[in-house]
Amino acid sequence: MTVSGSGLQDSGIDRALQVALEAELDQEITSGELWPGEREQFPEPIPPGEANRPWQMPIRAPRGPTAAPPIGAVLGAAVRGQAPPPPPSATSDTDSPRPIKAVPSYSDEAYEAACKAEIAKKPRKKRYLTWRSDRVGIVMIHGIGPQLAGQTLLDWTRPIIEALRDAPEGDRRLDVPPASARNVTDPVAKSNIDFSGETFPVLQVRVPRLNGVAQGDPRGRERTWVFTEAWWASEVRAPTLPTMISWLGEQGGVGRIVQGIQENSLGAGLGAIIGRISLQPIVSVITSFVLLLFFLLLGIAKIIPFGPLRDAVVLRLAASFLTDWFGGARTLLLDAGQSANVRHRLLMTIKALRAYGCRDVVIIAHSGGTMASLTTLTDPAFANLRVQKLITIGEALNLGWRLNDENPDDPPPTPPTGDRMAADLGKIQPELQWRDFWATHDPAPAGRPQLPRTFEHTDFPRFTAERVYNRMSILEDHGGYWDNDEHFVIPLIREIDVPTGDRTASRFYGDREESYLRSRRKERVSLLALWRRALLSLPLVGILAAATVSSPGFVPTAGGFALRLFGLIPGNELVAGVGDAVVSFFKGLSLENMPLIPSFLQVPSLFDPLYTLGTWALEAILIVLLLFALLPGRVDRLWANAERGARPRFLLLVLDFAVGIGVFVMVVTGFVMLSSEQRAAILNGISLGPVIALIAFGVLAGVVGWAGPKARSRLRKSQAKPTLAQTIGRNAGIALSALALGAILIGLLVVVVGVVLVLIDGSTPEHLAIEQFVIGSIAILFAFSLIGRLGTWRWTVWDVRERRMLRRAPLKEPPRLWPYFVGTVLSVIVFAAMSVVALGAPGSSWLGIELATWLVLIGVGIVLVVLFSLAKDIVDNDIAVDTGRDPGGGGEPSIVTSKQPPPAPSSRS
């Protein structure tokens, strides 16, 4: 029984595991149980946690929408100069923390003597294994995907090491030996990682003791955290591409995933109910068709002797994502042999840490690794396995429960009895502490865990979930936990420091500091979310103004410029020729005198109705995007802190409305100020077709949503001992459902064809103008996305600097003058660009400045922001290198300058 297939190498844990196994300690090193005498002489160092942080929710608590104070209350408080009534979720960050409970006191000398006496009573073979109270084992288990050996261990421990290195700057009671030739500030003690997976990877980190605590308090002793990883990527083989296409498409995998995401995004209101019952079958049909089309293209690419198509990078990357990356989820859920291999890998990792003397073991699992952790901890083959704490981030448990759910119309998602994902973790692991961290926009968990009905033992505070604000982005939140010190990394090191209880008794920071840090994080993320919203709403409103009030605006000019750039690309003639051939094909298709075709469908050419349908679809898409852009995001709620007062929330609320509804009101006002002839011309050009199409789609979704669950329930009931009538009815129901979903798919394909015709046809002046406007709109949205990336880059630099400052001074206000200045300059540039889009017709001027001059000024402004930002970053980094301190992003000395002792322990929580 070895850890690695190639045998034992130069690894201390490998050797310790082998010796422990030879000493017949297999059960002990699996469970971590103490011998009878040790149970009396090895006191629990941490009392049971009873802290109920308001931002920490019981996993089984009912899910519901977060209440928010009315806008009128925020405005009224701002006028009176008072703090507005904060929502319940925000009161957490300012509540008075609970004091730390007294820790059992014992003498180190007495403990060591008792351990020696107990060891002498053991059989000779079992005297080898001695639990070391100064060691805590941490297993890091990665998610799905072809991870490299050692990658998870290094990537995840790096932010932990940074936090441990900076923590003494914020609390002088953390005893770090003064720097000298023999004493270093680097907390890493040892490391053994060969990046081949041949040996057991180990990284040991020193944890400083805390001065000023009572004798016998475990925080007054140095500890060692022994990190390792359960690298299971090499233990599985990816499923085939046809298998993944069938699982994600026709078997409803993607539909159930989208269902979970929309439930988390829409909350528990009417919108969530409509989305849950209507979108899943439609998404499944679309996904099945797209995946089959992709599989067909991949097959054609292999047989056609055309190099660029055969070696298409996009096709290969998509195939790799489906099999090598997302295929891991199916392997863990449905491939019994390979999933057992993964569970054995995790078991051996835990055994190795036990053999190293780590009585307390903590598992940190991400994404698909949470499924491997759950099934390992509940595996009947490992009945003696015990772990003290499970920490999940971006968990895929919700996804696993949903994908294995036998009845998706009956929440919460619950796999059938006997499924490994349905085992009751709370019952099988009665001592386990589970801490879950889920990001607001992480699509994998899609909210905090929704435990299946098979889970009965989930009492608070053993199982808790905490909402994390990473970047509030569905594309970035899943991998953004380790860049989030305030909401994840600092709470994580506090949880590791207390492996058998609540982090209230940790030596690091405290609830008061953590509360303050959470507030600063939410403030930064709210500004990032507001920036993204502005970069979506402002160009859309500008395009709307250019299409109506200030027609033609700058949009056709941008479209013509984009078409000219396309003409400079080598081989554009081939693409243009294909487009002309497609247009000619549909113009030549006629349904006149066709049998079995109704008379109202017998058109002389299919091109005209398809083109009209395409324009309606594009206008409908614009309407939907405008609705999302105009609705306020209410990011002001993330500033609901008593110490801030109402003014910051009021300013954020004004900006939130200004970038959406405010600019839209300006467009409407401009429309009212037009002459009656101009307004009449605009109204005559507006078609009700897109509105009718949206209403029709909504009605269709509602009908599908109403009939779908009823039909599925009836079909499920008819499976058990069906009569002849039930069999006929079931087959008829399946046929009708297939026809309905097929009709939806055909309708969507027709719409896509119509949109493509609008984009490629410029055969007439009218069609050319529409083509230029559509392509110009796409080009403008792309240009604004580039400006958005510039702002995101500056936000990231600000985020890194402020996180470092707050780690070193967790209760001190960080300087924000420079980030606010850069954000203001970029906002002015964006508003100027939006004005150009709306008012920049050829030959026009604004505030006495011509269009070309405005474009030059905007470009110069962007270049200056980049140059000055880079120059300041260089200067700041030079200062930081010279002094060993971070300048704080504002050109000031480090904020950690006070030599005064920190507050008394009673002020920390």
Side-chain angles (χ1 to χ4, degrees):
M1 186 180 295
T2 59
V3 175
S4 58
S6 61
L8 299 180
Q9 302 291 329
D10 187 18
S11 169
I13 286 187
D14 279 332
R15 292 195 299 270
L17 176 62
Q18 186 65 29
V19 173
L21 293 176
E22 292 173 355
E24 301 176 1
L25 297 174
D26 186 72
Q27 179 174 338
E28 285 80 2
I29 65 175
T30 302
S31 64
E33 291 293 333
L34 301 173
W35 284 277
E38 287 178 321
R39 291 191 181 94
E40 299 175 0
Q41 302 297 334
F42 202 122
E44 286 294 332
I46 303 299
E50 295 180 1
N52 185 0
R53 301 170 188 84
W55 66 79
Q56 198 175 37
M57 296 292 295
I59 286 184
R60 197 120 207 202
R63 290 163 56 97
T66 301
I71 295 177
V74 179
L75 299 178
V79 173
R80 296 188 300 270
Q82 301 173 350
S89 61
T91 53
S92 62
D93 294 344
T94 55
D95 280 353
S96 298
R98 297 187 180 186
I100 301 177
K101 277 194 169 185
V103 177
S105 177
Y106 60 91
S107 168
D108 294 345
E109 293 77 10
Y111 163 71
E112 292 174 358
C115 286
K116 291 180 180 179
E118 182 61 32
I119 291 174
K121 300 177 184 178
K122 296 178 186 178
R124 181 172 298 275
K125 275 191 172 185
K126 296 190 175 184
R127 292 180 185 179
Y128 165 76
L129 183 61
T130 303
W131 303 120
R132 299 184 56 174
S133 60
D134 62 331
R135 285 187 178 179
V136 176
I138 299 100
V139 180
M140 295 178 163
I141 178 166
H142 62 78
I144 58 177
Q147 311 287 340
L148 300 177
Q151 175 183 352
T152 300
L153 183 58
L154 286 181
D155 290 347
W156 291 11
T157 53
R158 187 177 296 113
I160 294 176
I161 293 170
E162 291 178 355
L164 293 176
R165 184 166 47 197
D166 291 338
E169 294 281 352
D171 189 347
R172 299 296 181 179
R173 293 177 304 172
L174 289 171
D175 187 10
V176 178
S180 66
R182 295 286 296 177
N183 297 327
V184 295
T185 58
D186 177 8
V188 176
K190 298 178 182 179
S191 181
N192 179 29
I193 309 173
D194 64 1
F195 303 104
S196 67
E198 295 294 327
T199 63
F200 205 91
V202 183
L203 193 148
Q204 299 184 43
V205 176
R206 298 188 305 269
V207 179
R209 66 189 185 94
L210 185 68
N211 292 325
V213 296
Q215 182 180 8
D217 192 318
R219 292 167 297 186
R221 303 178 64 188
E222 291 186 358
R223 305 191 84 174
T224 300
W225 292 352
V226 183
F227 290 94
T228 187
E229 68 172 0
W231 180 51
W232 58 273
S234 63
E235 307 295 319
V236 297
R237 293 294 177 264
T240 63
L241 186 58
T243 299
M244 289 302 301
I245 289 176
S246 175
W247 183 57
L248 293 174
E250 61 208 48
Q251 297 179 31
V254 171
R256 297 191 181 195
I257 295 171
V258 171
Q259 177 182 340
I261 295 174
Q262 72 187 22
E263 286 180 1
N264 180 45
S265 302
L266 300 176
L270 179 61
I273 297 175
I274 295 176
R276 181 173 64 250
I277 63 179
S278 61
L279 289 183
Q280 182 180 347
I282 297 176
V283 169
S284 298
V285 171
I286 297 174
T287 303
S288 299
F289 177 78
V290 172
L291 290 176
L292 288 175
L293 182 62
F294 163 75
F295 188 63
L296 178 63
L297 290 176
L298 203 62
I300 295 176
K302 292 180 179 179
I303 62 176
I304 292 183
F306 181 56
L309 180 59
R310 185 177 60 251
D311 300 328
V313 176
V314 175
L315 295 177
R316 287 189 293 163
L317 288 178
S320 175
F321 173 77
L322 290 177
T323 57
D324 297 336
W325 284 91
F326 204 79
R330 187 188 183 280
T331 298
L332 291 174
L333 293 173
L334 301 179
D335 194 322
Q338 295 201 75
S339 61
N341 213 28
V342 174
R343 295 194 299 275
H344 181 262
R345 180 74 177 194
L346 179 56
L347 172 71
M348 296 303 294
T349 305
I350 297 171
K351 279 187 176 184
L353 289 178
R354 300 285 195 203
Y356 207 58
C358 301
R359 185 184 71 113
D360 299 329
V361 172
V362 178
I363 295 179
I364 304 175
H366 176 250
S367 188
T370 61
M371 294 191 289
S373 300
L374 171 66
T375 53
T376 302
L377 293 174
T378 59
D379 196 326
F382 312 142
N384 296 321
L385 178 61
R386 291 292 180 268
V387 169
Q388 279 58 52
K389 185 169 287 189
L390 171 65
I391 300 174
T392 55
I393 53 176
E395 50 87 3
L397 296 175
N398 279 341
L399 177 64
W401 290 324
R402 191 176 299 278
L403 290 173
N404 282 5
D405 190 5
E406 58 181 349
N407 186 4
D409 298 319
D410 184 19
T414 302
T417 303
D419 193 302
R420 289 186 180 273
M421 290 295 296
D424 188 349
L425 179 64
K427 181 179 181 180
I428 298 175
Q429 296 285 340
E431 305 297 329
L432 179 71
Q433 302 278 333
W434 181 13
R435 303 289 182 261
D436 178 72
F437 296 85
W438 58 278
T440 55
H441 292 66
D442 189 344
R448 56 190 170 95
Q450 298 185 66
L451 298 182
R453 291 182 295 276
T454 53
F455 277 58
E456 301 175 359
H457 301 73
T458 54
D459 297 333
F460 183 75
R462 285 184 55 218
F463 288 5
T464 61
E466 300 185 27
R467 180 167 52 189
V468 170
Y469 289 84
N470 286 340
R471 292 202 172 193
M472 298 182 70
S473 168
I474 197 170
L475 298 177
E476 300 176 279
D477 268 16
H478 188 58
Y481 293 90
W482 295 102
D483 295 328
N484 187 345
D485 295 330
E486 300 93 334
H487 285 190
F488 174 64
V489 177
I490 287 177
L492 174 67
I493 65 172
R494 298 184 66 208
E495 292 287 357
I496 296 175
D497 194 33
V498 192
T500 59
D502 187 79
R503 65 177 182 260
T504 299
S506 171
R507 73 192 71 198
F508 297 109
Y509 301 98
D511 283 357
R512 181 179 172 217
E513 288 87 347
E514 187 179 334
S515 176
Y516 184 86
L517 295 174
R518 287 180 60 85
S519 300
R520 302 294 82 82
R521 174 74 187 187
K522 291 197 292 185
E523 290 172 0
R524 292 200 308 275
V525 175
S526 69
L527 296 178
L528 178 63
L530 182 62
W531 171 255
R532 288 202 190 100
R533 197 172 102 73
L535 268 295
L536 173 65
S537 61
L538 291 178
L540 287 173
V541 176
I543 292 170
L544 175 65
T548 55
V549 179
S550 56
S551 180
F554 183 72
V555 182
T557 305
F561 180 72
L563 289 175
R564 284 193 291 272
L565 287 180
F566 175 75
L568 299 177
I569 299 175
N572 67 89
E573 298 86 356
L574 177 63
V575 178
V578 173
D580 293 338
V582 171
V583 171
S584 300
F585 172 77
F586 282 100
K587 285 185 175 180
L589 283 179
S590 174
L591 296 181
E592 288 184 322
N593 302 321
M594 291 287 293
L596 303 179
I597 300 296
S599 57
F600 67 91
L601 292 179
Q602 294 188 6
V603 293
S605 173
L606 278 179
F607 176 82
D608 291 333
L610 287 176
Y611 190 91
T612 302
L613 185 61
T615 57
W616 286 4
L618 290 172
E619 292 176 14
I621 292 173
L622 177 61
I623 293 173
V624 173
L625 290 177
L626 277 172
L627 291 177
F628 278 104
L630 297 181
L631 294 176
R634 291 304 308 275
V635 295
D636 63 288
R637 289 179 290 184
L638 300 182
W639 286 67
N641 307 302
E643 74 271 12
R644 294 296 195 191
R647 186 171 292 107
R649 291 198 62 190
F650 174 72
L651 293 177
L652 263 291
L653 189 64
V654 171
L655 287 175
D656 198 3
F657 276 84
V659 299
I661 296 178
V663 180
F664 181 75
V665 170
M666 292 173 58
V667 174
V668 175
T669 304
F671 175 79
V672 174
M673 295 176 64
L674 294 175
S675 64
S676 58
E677 293 80 6
Q678 291 174 319
R679 290 199 301 270
I682 293 174
L683 292 175
N684 291 333
I686 296 177
S687 173
L688 294 178
V691 178
I692 297 174
L694 284 175
I695 295 175
F697 183 80
V699 172
L700 175 63
V703 171
V704 173
W706 173 80
K710 298 180 181 298
R712 288 193 292 269
S713 176
R714 185 176 295 275
L715 292 176
R716 289 191 184 98
K717 292 179 180 179
S718 63
Q719 290 181 357
K721 298 181 179 180
T723 63
L724 178 60
Q726 289 177 334
T727 301
I728 296 175
R730 183 172 183 272
N731 293 333
I734 293 175
L736 291 175
S737 301
L739 289 175
L741 296 177
I744 293 173
L745 178 60
I746 293 173
L748 292 174
L749 289 176
V750 171
V751 170
V752 171
V753 171
V755 171
V756 171
L757 292 178
V758 173
L759 292 175
I760 64 177
D761 180 53
S763 56
T764 66
E766 180 183 1
H767 287 187
L768 179 61
I770 295 175
E771 180 188 28
Q772 288 182 342
F773 193 91
V774 173
I775 294 178
S777 300
I778 297 174
I780 287 170
L781 292 175
F782 176 74
F784 272 80
S785 70
L786 294 180
I787 301 177
R789 289 180 179 272
L790 172 61
T792 303
W793 165 53
R794 294 317 307 164
W795 183 90
T796 302
V797 174
W798 172 34
D799 178 65
V800 170
R801 292 187 176 277
E802 186 163 302
R803 284 193 288 119
R804 186 188 304 173
M805 286 187 293
L806 290 173
R807 290 197 303 264
R808 297 176 175 182
L811 291 178
K812 191 161 185 177
E813 180 73 17
R816 291 178 170 179
L817 179 60
W818 176 255
Y820 287 171
F821 171 74
V822 174
T824 301
V825 172
L826 288 175
S827 299
V828 171
I829 292 175
V830 171
F831 271 95
M834 186 274 295
S835 302
V836 168
V837 171
L839 306 174
S844 63
S845 63
W846 186 50
L847 299 179
I849 302 177
E850 295 182 352
L851 172 62
T853 306
W854 271 110
L855 293 175
V856 172
L857 290 175
I858 292 173
V860 170
I862 294 174
V863 172
L864 289 177
V865 169
V866 173
L867 292 178
F868 276 99
S869 298
L870 287 174
K872 186 179 184 304
D873 292 344
I874 293 172
V875 173
D876 285 344
N877 287 328
D878 286 342
I879 296 174
V881 170
D882 292 339
T883 63
R885 305 288 182 105
D886 190 332
E892 302 176 2
S894 173
I895 59 178
V896 185
T897 57
S898 174
K899 298 299 183 180
Q900 299 296 324
S906 60
S907 66
R908 291 165 49 95
S909 61

